[in-house]
Amino acid sequence: MAILKTLIATVIFAVVAPVIGCLLAGLERIISARMQGRVGPKLLQPYWDVRKLLEKERASVNGVEGVYIAAALGFAMLAGGIFFSGGNLLLCVFVITLSSLFFIIAAYSTRSPYAEIGAARETIQVMSYEPMVLFMAIVFYQVTHSFDVVAAFRLTHPIICFGLGAFIGLAFILTIKLRKSPFDISDSGHHGHQDIVKGVTTEMSGPTLAKVEIMHWVEDVLFLGWVGMFFVWGGPVTIIVAIVFALVMWFLEIWIDNNFARVKWQPMLKWAWAVALVAGGINIAVLAFI
């Protein structure tokens, strides 16, 4: 029954998440343009960009990267289905990590030196944020005594009351997960300061590149869901509170993206692990003694 529930949620998420992600991407472009003193594109410009990519003829060095990207997109949608159906948070984390690994393999499979540099940087990004993601799952278990996301709705207080350290850590690595400056070292297609062409997506084009864009939309919705998870309690009505805080965090990420230059991988790895150990580690230690 749980598997059927997850499959149904995955199908619904696969339909709804790209729509929400597309609208967020369009709003992000407009807000970024306003911050830079420009008018910016229309709200649905990301949709028209992806539609144009889907209509293009497929041209690639080999066909295998398309299979890997399709797998990465599928696992991202499955992770969203697990999370938003109230399923196991730890399983959601493992599945979205699997999606990231397929994305990296797809870049390596193109045999392009630029894509390989992007894949290496993407690997370092995963190494940077993964400890904090696991700490977040541990804190969730300590607070709710379950890895099931639905357990958060049975609490009398939101998780943020007991998991402030984990939330600070998640907020820090969210910049990496959403591919924003200063931690967008592997791919930053919307920036003019990219020094490795387009990183992991250098050799991807047409429908394959469209799948990558849709995957980023889906990931954005899932990661903002992780933010909202800290602000739900008592019942589904608090979802409104969670959405408000998730949007505030999303706006903050746009502001950070427009006000910071990209850093090298060394400070990204060092800072991400330091924040994870201090914020996440202390939070886990305190909860262990309560």
Side-chain angles (χ1 to χ4, degrees):
M1 192 64 183
I3 295 175
L4 181 61
K5 181 182 175 184
T6 301
L7 289 176
I8 293 173
T10 301
V11 172
I12 296 173
F13 182 76
V15 174
V16 175
V19 176
I20 298 174
C22 177
L23 292 174
L24 288 175
L27 272 174
E28 179 184 341
R29 291 189 188 185
I30 294 172
I31 294 171
S32 292
R34 295 290 192 277
M35 288 181 178
Q36 297 165 9
R38 298 184 289 110
V39 176
K42 295 181 179 177
L43 177 64
L44 294 180
Q45 189 59 46
Y47 164 75
W48 292 112
D49 291 344
V50 166
R51 181 173 175 175
K52 194 183 298 179
L53 288 171
L54 289 171
E55 291 172 349
K56 283 187 176 180
E57 186 178 351
R58 192 169 181 278
S60 61
V61 178
N62 58 60
V64 72
E65 87 270 12
V67 177
Y68 289 133
I69 291 298
L73 175 59
F75 281 118
M77 290 176 171
L78 177 60
I82 294 170
F83 179 82
F84 286 101
S85 66
N88 192 296
L89 177 62
L90 200 57
L91 181 60
C92 171
V93 168
F94 288 149
V95 172
I96 197 64
T97 302
L98 190 58
S99 170
S100 300
L101 295 180
F102 270 102
F103 186 43
I104 293 169
I105 294 172
Y108 274 122
S109 71
T110 62
R111 305 291 178 86
S112 162
Y114 297 110
E116 289 186 359
I117 293 172
R121 292 182 173 188
E122 182 76 15
T123 304
I124 293 169
Q125 288 192 177
V126 174
M127 290 170 56
S128 300
Y129 63 66
E130 204 61 24
M132 188 59 238
V133 173
L134 292 176
F135 285 170
M136 177 194 72
I138 293 171
V139 168
F140 180 88
Y141 179 83
Q142 289 178 306
V143 175
T144 64
H145 304 292
S146 172
F147 278 119
D148 290 341
V149 177
V150 71
F153 291 101
R154 293 195 285 266
L155 297 173
T156 54
H157 298 83
I159 298 174
I160 187 74
C161 294
F162 304 97
L164 180 60
F167 180 76
I168 293 172
L170 173 64
F172 188 85
I173 64 162
L174 194 64
T175 311
I176 307 174
K177 300 283 284 180
L178 295 180
R179 303 171 189 283
K180 306 295 185 191
S181 287
F183 303 136
D184 54 337
I185 64 170
S186 68
D187 176 81
S188 58
H190 62 296
H191 289 158
H193 59 218
Q194 180 57 268
D195 60 353
I196 54 170
V197 190
K198 282 201 68 180
V200 283
T201 57
T202 299
E203 297 297 330
M204 298 175 192
S205 62
T208 302
L209 193 55
K211 291 174 192 169
V212 173
E213 291 298 322
I214 295 171
M215 183 179 72
H216 290 337
W217 295 347
V218 170
E219 288 176 337
D220 289 353
V221 174
L222 174 60
F223 300 149
L224 291 177
W226 287 2
V227 173
M229 177 182 69
F230 281 82
F231 299 95
V232 295
W233 77 97
V237 178
T238 55
I239 290 176
I240 298 172
V241 179
I243 291 173
V244 170
F245 277 99
L247 289 176
V248 169
M249 186 59 67
W250 171 75
F251 180 81
L252 181 63
E253 290 293 337
I254 296 174
W255 182 84
I256 292 172
D257 191 37
N258 282 278
N259 286 280
F260 290 89
R262 191 177 58 212
V263 300
K264 294 181 179 179
W265 68 266
Q266 291 93 338
M268 180 187 71
L269 185 65
K270 183 170 60 180
W271 295 345
W273 282 14
V275 171
L277 287 173
V278 174
I282 291 177
N283 201 156
I284 291 172
V286 169
L287 289 175
F289 286 101
I290 291 179

